[in-house]
Amino acid sequence: MTLTHLFFDVGGVLGTNGWDHEQREAAYARFGLDAAAFEDRHKEIVASLESGRASLDEYLACTVFYEPRPFSADEFRAFMFSLSQPFPATIALARALAGAARWRLATLNNESAELNAHRLRHFGLADIFGVCFTSCWLGTTKPARRIYDLALAMSQAEPGASVFIDDRERNLEPARSLGMQVVHYTGAERLRADLAALGVVP
């Protein structure tokens, strides 16, 4: 079957993770937070944050600003956003694939609405990807099968004609079970080679 759709994860593929444990640890050090207390509260609300049922302000009120702090929510939010850095080589590859106009490109990622909007702008993804299937807008997160079903249905893509790229094996498993081609991302050059093996060459 001819490949028609390419689905890219964002955090860990097109740039650094948005708010994973590495980023949270940086915040603990920067703002002097109790890591155990933060993680306990984070676990209670992160699913709601990433599925669009809680805003970033609600998340921060639960995890950080439930007591007085010597810094503002704006300062903390700005620091969160500053941790997001693009992977230029991978983005350049995606841009070249989009420019070839042989495949439809989309993102398929877990992210809060506010952080997702920032990263789409900061990474310059809006002019590369025709659509963004993000957990905060779809109401479900990877690796739940529903997010893959929705992305395929809404893009009118056949699983066998689609490639999903992610840096986490557990997120690849549902896509593979649906019949999608999958690529485990470990770096831009490896991705280029893996896509070339599937006949996807800019």
Side-chain angles (χ1 to χ4, degrees), residues 46-194:
V46 66
S48 294
L49 176 70
E50 292 189 343
S51 61
R53 298 191 304 273
S55 69
L56 183 56
D57 284 345
E58 290 174 294
Y59 171 83
L60 293 179
C62 175
T63 57
V64 182
F65 297 99
Y66 55 89
E67 63 183 30
R69 299 292 186 183
F71 51 87
S72 69
D74 285 344
E75 288 177 88
F76 194 91
R77 189 183 300 105
F79 181 77
M80 287 180 71
F81 289 177
S82 75
L83 298 174
S84 291
Q85 297 300 318
F87 292 165
T90 311
I91 292 173
L93 173 57
R95 190 179 300 278
L97 293 168
R102 293 172 54 197
W103 309 275
R104 296 179 182 178
L105 273 66
T107 63
L108 179 54
N109 63 306
N110 290 348
E111 202 91 88
S112 68
E114 296 87 347
L115 192 54
N116 189 59
H118 168 78
R119 284 150 68 82
L120 291 177
R121 290 193 303 269
H122 181 56
F123 294 178
L125 303 182
D127 59 343
I128 299 174
F129 296 93
V131 63
C132 300
F133 296 109
T134 307
S135 61
C136 60
W137 297 327
L138 296 179
T140 183
T141 59
K142 297 180 296 183
R145 175 169 169 156
R146 178 157 176 76
I147 195 169
Y148 306 88
D149 285 335
L150 286 171
L152 290 168
M154 295 171 75
S155 59
Q156 289 296 285
E158 291 293 331
S162 304
V163 180
F164 175 54
I165 302 154
D166 200 290
D167 62 314
R168 299 183 179 184
E169 177 60 33
R170 69 176 179 269
N171 290 336
L172 296 173
E173 292 167 2
R176 188 184 290 114
S177 71
L178 285 168
M180 299 175 75
Q181 303 288 336
V182 300
V183 174
H184 185 199
Y185 178 89
T186 57
E189 289 308 309
R190 182 70 242 177
L191 173 60
R192 184 183 295 272
D194 288 341

